[in-house]
Amino acid sequence: MGFGPKWLGWMWSCIFSAKFSILVNGVPAGFFPSSKGLRQGDPLSPYLFVMGMEFEPVENITDLKPECCACTPASSSLSEFGKLDGISGCKVLVSSEEKLLFDDFINIICSFDPDILIGWDIQGGSLGFLAERASHLGIGLLNKISRTPSETKTASRNFEIPEKRVADEMLPENLVDDSVLLEEAIIEDEWGRTHASGVHVGGRIVLNVWRLMRGEIKLNMYTAESVAEAVLRQKIPSIRNRVLTKWFSSGPGRARYRSIEYVIQRAKLNFEIMNQLDMINRTSELARVFGIDFFSVLSRGSQYHVESMFLRLAHTQNFLAISPGPQQVATQPAMECLPLVMEPESGFYADPVVVLDFQSLYPSMIIAYNLCYSTCLGKVAPSKADVLGVSIYSPDPHALHDLKDQILLTPNGVMYVPSKARKGVLPRLLEEILSTRIMVKKAMKKLVPSQQVLQRIFNARQLALKLIANVTYGYTAAGYSGRMPCAELADSIVQCGRRTLENAISLVNTHDKWKAKVIYGDTDSMFVLLKGRTVKESFQIGHEIASAVTAMNPNPVTLKMEKVYHPCFLLTKKRYVGYSYESPDQIEPTFDAKGIETVRRDTCGAVAKTMEQSLRLFFEHQDISKVKVYLQRQWRRILSGRVSLQDFVFAKEVRLGTYSSRASSLPPAAIVAIKAMRADPRAEPCYAERVPYVVIHGEPGARLVDLVVDPLDLLAIDSPYRLNDQYYINKQIIPALQRVFGLVGADLYQWFSEMPRPVREVYAKHKSHAPNPYRTRIDFYYLSKHCILCGELSPASAHICDKCSKDGTAVAAAVIGRTAKLERDIQHLAAICRHCGGGDWIVESGVKCTSLACSVFYERRKVQKDLQGLSSVATEAGFYPKCMVEWF
């Protein structure tokens, strides 16, 4: 990392909190105790490991001086020095060498014998980093903490929790006898590196928390700060490693306790997030329902889950599943059927639009028509003779003759026997799943509020059953990597569903009483326009349609009334937005969108917020002029710099190693990641990590990849960059909104071109510091020529115009008044950051938090820049001494 020799003292601080969390390199990795280790109620004293870097070897631990380590063992006579760092409730072990530190680390883990190891970033900042360092020292860490260690790699050792370290225990001879072989690779498999932790410990489950969060919540960035705010509704600071090193190196009695508090907080954060989302219990219930192990729930796909239940049921009916090879799968007939996805009648609909959904359409098709591998008799006219799916099959002519009056022929020409002749395995499986889910949901309603544990368990079980039912079709249609695909069966399911939806659409369009029209249909849903009706009337008609369609289909095919849009926009396939009503008694509608920029993550917050507010205005007033006024006001705010940079940060996934070797083909997020790696090789993003960036001004005609920088570079107080407002307006905001409001005849490009351009009132644009070495372009030398008081043009060398400068007293009062306001603002923001824990008034003044997930951070930097620019102008005029914005 290159942060000086004292960095190691911080880097190898390992803190065991009361919840058995392990902190490594400032990024936590925690573990839960197993039944073989500590039991519930057993006493536990958490440990703090510190590698002393500032002292010489001593004869006895009590000879250590206070400034040599964070604190000393609780049983030592120097335990009072731990109080200087604010460390309480910890047993502290001090190691003079890294190998001894690893020795203690291994002893503790093997004594507790945890089942699960968790960490925020296992690969780069937690257990993976420790394993890399241990490998560099010749220690096979992952093998030694394994429950099944290789005898060739490690010798037997006594795993006892050390209560007190003495000179004899600190001697390196304990490690000499170990037969240690260097581990070949920390990341053992490519799939694990890109989708899980990639770090494997024999007999223990290793969970990468940030990757689990990607499947749990939808965020633009998956930093610990963003996830904590979304899941726990609490803000936590983000302190750079350089600052943590400085705090830790300041010694006891100063800021060292701050670094320890910070990493303890990060350790507890993992457990709080996992507990809030009920990850361990929910995954355990999924494993119980699927009949597979805990880790396979997280690491294996839906095919594995379906098959685990499917095979168990098939065996009870004396069926064996075939096991086709890749060649057989590749040579099976191609699937020919597609679900019905209508092209919508794009436009704005001021009348109510009813949305109806088939409940579990594909599982319902399988049950209703007895579709299964075991009931399929093949195609009437097969494309290949004697072929069914991936296997050779020829139906018995006598059986076909006996069943000629009972055979079900699906729309794609495949024959199936009815359930009274043979009940299929898939229909039986899905019937049991759906009936069990109904039973579990009924049991949930009977629980009292005090039974929270059972509530969470039952909810996890019904969710598992829902998931497994919805992916059963995918198991039959997985033609590339499928375990047992069958094109004829998959096509039958799709075609039966398509025919069911087509019949429903035909019924609605031809019914004289309803006078309705289907304007969009998608797989299992349809949008019905009811012109001239109210919302209550729409609900009544919607329920009539649902009842009529349900009655014309076999059990358990059910059409349900979902919601009413009033009004709404239909854009293209799978893209629509409107005000949603879910019951006729609902007074205030809900803003509901799918597929547009308000819910997409490939754009920035400014686009999403502007579009949502514009749509709300249009839905409420249905007056495009109000939208025009609002947009022009927002564009003026962007051009004048009166916006938060947080709304202009893009965050997109980066997959280094998958791009072309040409630099011009790299996406912007990858460009920013590579720049960060040049400064710090360990800043390499994990696979598919979302990297933030912003677009700045550059030379005329510059490519986008040349205009992207890290948001922290733009937020720096002495940053030479300026946000590219024209790019965000012309390339992001206007195109997104034009796709929507163009349907009602609006021309947003014309609105923007006829709008008067505002004066950019940003004090930071005035030259307030010495020439910057980064100023390599001529546009950096163009300073504002507008008066800082009235905004009129002023001489190039003056910050105040001739008219305002005539009254020196008024100028001084105005400048000092504005400065005072900015100082009050910055003090208020700094107080908020200090309360959150991001400030430092011990080693040096200032707020050290750089969390891109915190709106206060962006506002504080904006006020700092304005204060610096105005202070520089006032100092040159002799009004007051220069203000040091770095103190805030």
Side-chain angles (χ1 to χ4, degrees):
M1 301 294 284
F3 292 149
K6 294 184 180 180
W7 167 245
L8 289 177
W10 161 251
M11 183 173 62
W12 290 110
S13 299
C14 304
I15 300 177
F16 286 67
S17 75
K19 293 184 179 178
F20 321 124
S21 59
I22 307 172
L23 296 175
V24 182
N25 191 22
V27 183
F31 61 86
F32 295 90
S34 70
S35 57
K36 294 183 179 180
L38 296 177
R39 298 182 301 274
Q40 186 174 3
D42 285 350
L44 172 70
S45 296
Y47 283 80
L48 167 64
F49 284 75
V50 178
M51 178 178 175
M53 298 299 296
E54 300 177 297
F55 58 87
E56 299 296 329
V58 293
E59 295 298 329
N60 192 288
I61 189 67
T62 56
D63 295 334
L64 291 175
K65 296 182 180 180
E67 63 271 11
C68 299
C69 57
C71 63
T72 55
S75 56
S76 171
S77 60
L78 295 182
S79 61
E80 64 272 10
F81 293 119
K83 299 177 182 178
L84 296 177
D85 285 323
I87 305 171
S88 60
C90 291
K91 291 184 179 179
V92 181
L93 302 178
V94 181
S95 300
S96 59
E97 297 182 6
E98 279 186 283
K99 289 188 176 182
L100 292 174
L101 188 64
F102 276 114
D103 194 28
D104 292 332
F105 182 83
I106 294 168
N107 287 347
I108 292 294
I109 288 187
C110 294
S111 299
F112 288 160
D113 194 22
D115 290 321
I116 302 174
L117 296 164
I118 70 172
W120 183 259
D121 179 12
I122 287 288
Q123 298 175 10
S126 186
L127 188 59
F129 179 82
L130 264 187
E132 288 181 25
R133 183 60 185 169
S135 179
H136 179 73
L137 297 174
I139 301 173
L141 177 64
L142 299 182
N143 179 64
K144 291 193 175 187
I145 64 176
S146 169
R147 280 175 169 169
T148 57
S150 172
E151 295 182 358
T152 61
K153 290 189 177 182
T154 181
S156 60
R157 55 194 315 118
N158 181 22
F159 298 115
E160 295 181 355
I161 300 177
E163 294 294 332
K164 182 179 179 181
R165 292 303 305 268
V166 294
D168 295 340
E169 294 173 335
M170 296 180 66
L171 293 177
E173 283 75 11
N174 292 337
L175 301 175
V176 175
D177 295 335
D178 288 346
S179 177
V180 176
L181 298 178
L182 197 65
E183 298 183 19
E184 295 181 359
I186 306 304
I187 308 299
E188 298 182 2
D189 66 290
E190 182 64 17
W191 185 92
R193 181 185 73 84
T194 58
H195 293 84
S197 67
V199 177
H200 299 283
V201 179
R204 311 188 197 279
I205 298 171
V206 182
L207 300 181
N208 209 1
V209 177
W210 85 268
R211 285 207 183 275
L212 295 179
M213 294 302 105
R214 293 177 75 243
E216 291 295 318
I217 53 178
K218 187 176 179 180
L219 298 174
N220 281 344
M221 290 186 292
Y222 288 93
T223 60
E225 299 79 31
S226 301
V227 174
E229 185 171 359
V231 176
L232 304 176
R233 297 294 186 267
Q234 69 180 46
K235 290 186 179 292
I236 60 172
S238 175
I239 310 298
R240 291 189 173 187
N241 290 334
R242 188 187 302 272
V243 177
L244 294 174
T245 304
K246 187 178 295 185
W247 286 354
F248 190 84
S249 302
S250 65
R254 298 199 70 202
R256 179 174 291 176
Y257 78 96
R258 293 292 309 281
S259 59
I260 296 173
E261 280 183 347
Y262 180 78
V263 291
I264 288 178
Q265 180 189 28
R266 306 288 279 204
K268 293 180 178 179
L269 188 67
N270 283 340
F271 292 100
E272 292 173 359
I273 291 174
M274 296 289 281
N275 181 64
Q276 181 68 25
L277 296 176
D278 199 26
M279 286 294 297
I280 302 300
N281 177 67
R282 183 149 49 89
T283 306
S284 300
E285 291 302 322
L286 290 172
R288 190 195 307 274
V289 172
F290 298 156
I292 57 180
D293 62 283
F294 183 95
F295 188 66
S296 292
V297 175
L298 301 172
S299 61
R300 303 298 293 266
S302 59
Q303 290 189 63
Y304 191 81
H305 302 162
V306 173
E307 188 170 271
S308 64
M309 302 184 72
F310 176 70
L311 291 183
R312 282 184 293 163
L313 185 59
H315 290 169
T316 63
Q317 301 182 49
N318 295 325
F319 285 110
L320 289 176
I322 62 175
S323 182
Q327 185 64 27
Q328 290 176 273
V329 174
T331 56
Q332 73 165 334
M335 285 181 284
E336 302 169 349
C337 302
L338 292 173
L340 176 62
V341 181
M342 297 172 56
E343 189 67 40
E345 299 180 12
S346 302
F348 173 72
Y349 294 90
D351 296 304
V353 175
V354 178
V355 182
L356 301 107
D357 255 341
F358 282 97
Q359 185 177 8
S360 301
L361 179 63
Y362 286 168
S364 299
M365 294 295 104
I366 294 174
I367 297 172
Y369 299 108
N370 199 35
L371 307 180
C372 183
Y373 301 97
S374 61
T375 62
C376 183
L377 298 176
K379 270 194 170 184
V380 175
S383 56
K384 295 182 180 180
D386 300 332
V387 173
L388 177 63
V390 297
S391 61
I392 303 298
Y393 172 76
S394 179
D396 185 2
H398 297 290
L400 290 178
H401 183 270
D402 295 340
L403 295 169
K404 63 178 181 179
D405 297 328
Q406 304 179 40
I407 289 177
L408 168 68
L409 187 64
T410 58
N412 62 320
V414 182
M415 299 177 290
Y416 293 87
V417 299
S419 57
K420 61 182 179 181
R422 172 184 289 173
K423 185 72 172 180
V425 180
L426 279 179
R428 189 186 300 271
L429 172 66
L430 290 171
E431 281 182 350
E432 293 182 2
I433 288 174
L434 296 178
S435 62
T436 305
R437 182 170 182 243
I438 293 173
M439 180 182 65
V440 172
K441 294 184 75 172
K442 287 181 179 178
M444 289 176 60
K445 295 179 180 179
K446 297 179 182 179
L447 296 177
V448 298
S450 60
Q451 295 176 300
Q452 291 293 330
V453 176
L454 277 177
Q455 182 80 19
R456 297 171 77 171
I457 291 175
F458 285 174
N459 185 57
R461 289 181 182 176
Q462 69 89 15
L463 178 62
L465 295 169
K466 176 184 176 182
L467 293 176
I468 201 70
N470 290 339
V471 298
T472 304
Y473 158 73
Y475 179 78
T476 66
Y480 175 71
S481 60
R483 167 68 173 76
M484 197 168 63
C486 182
E488 291 83 357
L489 176 58
D491 280 344
S492 297
I493 299 172
V494 171
Q495 199 64 19
C496 286
R498 182 185 182 108
R499 183 181 63 180
T500 301
L501 182 59
E502 288 174 344
N503 291 340
I505 293 174
S506 177
L507 175 65
V508 172
N509 287 335
T510 57
H511 201 285
D512 295 332
K513 177 184 176 183
W514 297 329
K515 296 181 181 179
K517 180 182 180 182
V518 177
I519 56 176
Y520 178 52
D522 183 358
T523 309
D524 63 346
S525 62
M526 57 182 180
F527 289 56
V528 181
L529 176 63
L530 299 174
K531 290 187 176 181
R533 316 296 175 87
T534 64
V535 173
K536 289 188 177 181
E537 291 174 342
S538 300
F539 271 98
Q540 182 180 353
I541 296 175
H543 287 299
E544 292 178 3
I545 295 174
S547 300
V549 173
T550 301
M552 63 183 286
N553 285 285
N555 185 60
V557 180
T558 305
L559 183 67
K560 283 200 168 183
M561 168 80 186
E562 185 179 352
K563 56 194 170 186
V564 172
Y565 281 133
H566 181 62
C568 71
F569 273 103
L570 280 184
L571 305 180
T572 58
K573 294 178 180 179
K574 301 183 185 298
R575 294 195 176 192
Y576 48 85
V577 59
Y579 268 173
S580 169
Y581 295 85
E582 296 185 357
S583 70
D585 300 327
Q586 182 178 344
I587 299 176
E588 292 296 328
T590 303
F591 183 85
D592 187 26
K594 181 176 180 180
I596 66 171
E597 281 72 12
T598 58
V599 293
R600 294 173 64 92
R601 292 183 293 175
D602 56 356
T603 185
C604 60
V607 178
K609 292 179 180 179
T610 304
M611 174 173 280
E612 180 172 343
Q613 186 60 30
S614 301
L615 287 169
R616 287 181 180 273
L617 281 173
F618 190 75
F619 288 157
E620 291 169 4
H621 303 285
Q622 296 187 21
D623 185 357
I624 197 65
S625 62
K626 292 185 180 297
V627 177
K628 178 180 179 180
V629 172
Y630 165 74
L631 288 177
Q632 289 184 338
R633 183 170 68 249
Q634 292 302 110
W635 291 335
R636 283 194 295 269
R637 293 183 69 246
I638 295 173
L639 293 173
S640 60
R642 294 182 289 111
V643 290
S644 172
L645 183 65
Q646 186 176 18
D647 293 333
F648 296 86
V649 176
F650 294 96
K652 298 185 180 180
E653 292 185 354
V654 172
R655 295 176 172 87
L656 296 181
T658 63
Y659 305 115
S660 171
S661 57
R662 295 180 303 169
S664 59
S665 64
L666 290 175
I671 296 289
V672 174
I674 291 174
K675 290 179 182 178
M677 289 168 58
R678 290 172 183 167
D680 178 9
R682 292 203 67 87
E684 178 182 357
C686 297
Y687 186 85
E689 181 178 346
R690 301 185 72 87
V691 175
Y693 68 91
V694 291
V695 181
I696 59 171
H697 276 286
E699 297 90 346
R703 301 172 304 172
L704 177 62
V705 293
D706 299 325
L707 304 178
V708 294
V709 297
D710 189 289
L712 293 177
D713 293 339
L714 180 59
L715 287 167
I717 297 177
D718 58 348
S719 173
Y721 304 123
R722 185 162 60 91
L723 191 71
N724 194 335
D725 43 27
Q726 294 288 337
Y727 169 82
Y728 283 95
I729 294 175
N730 288 309
K731 300 296 185 181
Q732 294 294 327
I733 297 177
I734 292 182
L737 272 70
Q738 182 64 40
R739 287 191 288 270
V740 177
F741 293 106
L743 298 174
V744 292
D747 186 354
L748 275 71
Y749 291 98
Q750 179 66 26
W751 293 356
F752 181 64
S753 63
E754 67 187 23
M755 182 190 74
R757 294 300 184 265
V759 176
R760 187 175 180 86
E761 298 176 356
V762 178
Y763 305 126
K765 184 162 179 150
H766 291 279
K767 188 174 180 180
S768 59
H769 45 75
N772 194 304
Y774 295 104
R775 296 191 171 202
T776 57
R777 303 197 301 267
I778 193 169
D779 61 313
F780 288 136
Y781 293 91
Y782 284 98
L783 305 180
S784 176
K785 294 184 179 181
H786 293 273
C787 175
I788 64 172
L789 296 181
C790 65
E792 297 294 332
L793 289 176
S794 62
S797 59
H799 301 298
I800 302 173
C801 65
D802 295 334
K803 182 179 178 181
C804 293
S805 60
K806 292 180 179 178
D807 190 350
T809 304
V811 170
V815 172
I816 293 175
R818 293 190 182 185
T819 304
K821 182 183 181 302
L822 291 173
E823 287 180 342
R824 288 193 300 270
D825 292 342
I826 193 64
Q827 288 174 356
H828 174 67
L829 295 171
I832 296 175
C833 294
R834 183 165 60 248
H835 176 75
C836 181
D840 173 27
W841 280 267
I842 300 176
V843 177
E844 59 183 358
S845 296
V847 177
K848 304 304 178 185
C849 173
T850 57
S851 173
L852 293 177
C854 180
S855 57
V856 177
F857 171 60
Y858 294 91
E859 185 64 21
R860 180 166 51 83
R861 283 299 170 89
K862 181 176 180 294
V863 175
Q864 280 181 314
K865 288 187 177 184
D866 289 349
L867 180 59
Q868 185 187 48
L870 186 59
S871 174
S872 176
V873 173
T875 302
E876 291 180 9
F879 297 147
Y880 55 79
K882 186 176 181 181
C883 176
M884 302 298 294
V885 297
E886 295 82 2
W887 290 354
F888 298 98

